[in-house]
Amino acid sequence: LRAVGQDFPERKIVQEDIDGLAADAPELLLSRLLDEYADLREQKAAASTAQVRAASLLVVTQLQKRLLSSIEAFARTLRVHRDTIQRENARIDSAPAPVVHVQQLTLLREEPGSDDDAGEMAPDEIAEATDAEIQEATAAVAAATRTSAPTLREREKGLLDQMTHVAEAARHQPDPRVRRLVEWLGQHACPGLPPIGSAPTDETLGWNPTRVIVFTEFVDTLRWLEQHLRAAIGRTHKPDHRIATYHGGSDQGGGREKREEIKRRFNADPHTEPLRILLCTDAAREGINLQSHCADLFHFDLPWNPSRIEQRNGRIDRTLQTAAEVRCHYFYFRQRPEDSVLKILVRKVETIRSEHVSLAPVLDARIGKLLDGGIRRDGVQRLVRDIDAVDGDADKVLVVAAELEQSRERNEPLRKQLDELRRINELSMAALRFDSVQFRDALSCALEMVHAEPLRRIEPPQGLDIETWAFPALDRQHGADASWAVTMDALRPPRKPEQKPWEWRRESPVRPIVFQDPRRLDDRTVHLHLEHRVVKRLLGRFVAQGFVHDQLSRACVLVTEATEPRVV
């Protein structure tokens, strides 16, 4: 497509290195302790059934995913897990261990996304359901391993106590990724923003038009991150309007409408809309346009699934992206072995893209199987090699390569076909005798027939290089037909969820109109076309006056009086 003149942005993967941490930094210490805890759990469940061993592994893997997301997310789930073990160990009855079905623990296997039934659940509902699955799996394993060696139980208690102590002490603090993100904002979005921990500036800092999306897998992490970012930007201009969150459900109700409003704000002109930072869970990873004024995306954490990583990147790396380059950032803790596996996942996504291969279900299944047991430190290098070696069907890869080579050879014939199609299009337009000037004049003529001012050319909104016209407020002129209010709704900005219809009409002016595709997502103007409801009603005036279709182009005549053309 690029070879025949279609513009697409270039994608740049930016690795944000985190290094130089003290050996007892919570992010490093908790990873070591959790790896030791995983070994212990494996020993305790070794003699149990396959379902019990799988449930034990699933709980530890969930704890690891949450730790790699944030200590806040880890601490909350660790508390549920630890409390359940303590409750089961305190039982004195000898009831048989409850049966656990691992396949039914869907939230522990993968966080819900936009295409999942759970994607519409409110965050607190998802947290409650996830806690219930943690409790179910933990209780089943604890009951099944109740007769394990006392030394193992003592080591388990000691590790749980130690991890709890470290996590609780660190969970409310900003971690190195938050600090790096605030530094990036100070360099690119809010010049002069002081780093976390430094003395705040006395002046109110302004923002430039740069916008950024930050993805995280867990709502616990999103809320914790939002809290620290709001504290960091508290001394800037309009700080309360700079951050929005996008997730599957809504804490306050009306979730879908509120998400639509957030998307509208994020895609609006940054010179008039103050929103700059959009924090998202994976509910926003697929099928959502966020590229209008944003070319930077951060993976605060990384899903263990190449498709989910690519779907996140696709929010800004897509058609109608006006920037020549988009940047997808991810954090890499150089001192944490588990991050080597996450790094190879990012590289695998880019390898798939560079080879132009779309075999996501095959690759996801194979990589998912490799990661089913979590990321164990003694197997990191093996995991890295195995993930790097995962490939789709070799025959299909060869077919794709051959087809791409053939397509390159077809570039010149394709250009000729495009030229021919343009010629046919021009002939068709000439045969129809339709052009935007006649269309515009017809609308102006129809406006005069309803005793309104004709279209008036105005300056386009900032950043748009396109002819723009003012449309009269037909519903507000003296003696206007009351039904015009509903028709004119199609020219107003989208109604906000909390606005009453009559308040919206009173407070929302008619937007300027254009007659050609602006080639970008922009709700500051309305693109009028023959099927637009306002156009169909106005042109209906000609039918009422007895004009037929082939006379429409002659319904308007430009008459020059002095230097001002007039529509009659």
Side-chain angles (χ1 to χ4, degrees), residues 10 82 88 145 453:
E10 294 291 339
R82 181 170 177 258
E88 287 298 320
T145 59
E453 292 294 321

Side-chain angles (χ1 to χ4, degrees), residues 219-289:
V219 171
D220 295 324
T221 301
L222 181 145
R223 290 171 170 170
W224 165 82
L225 177 58
E226 179 186 12
Q227 176 185 350
H228 287 295
L229 289 180
R230 288 196 181 278
I233 67 170
R235 295 290 187 91
T236 67
H237 181 245
K238 293 186 176 180
D240 294 339
H241 298 84
R242 299 298 176 178
I243 300 176
T245 61
Y246 188 107
H247 47 68
S250 172
D251 293 318
Q252 295 82 26
R256 188 176 297 278
E257 287 186 353
K258 291 189 176 182
R259 292 197 299 274
E260 289 299 320
E261 172 65 9
I262 289 170
K263 286 192 291 183
R264 185 200 66 77
R265 290 178 58 204
F266 197 72
N267 284 320
D269 181 7
H271 294 93
T272 57
E273 168 54 58
L275 179 58
R276 291 296 183 271
I277 306 166
L278 183 60
L279 306 180
C280 301
T281 65
D282 280 335
R285 76 175 194 272
E286 193 172 8
I288 299 174
N289 292 305

Side-chain angles (χ1 to χ4, degrees), residues 342-374:
L342 303 179
K343 180 178 179 179
I344 197 64
L345 282 175
V346 174
R347 197 168 79 188
K348 177 58 66 176
V349 170
E350 290 310 297
T351 300
I352 295 169
R353 287 185 66 250
S354 65
E355 293 178 352
H356 307 282
V357 178
S358 180
L359 301 172
V362 175
L363 292 169
D364 289 348
R366 294 178 182 176
I367 291 175
K369 189 173 182 179
L370 291 171
L371 291 172
D372 272 349

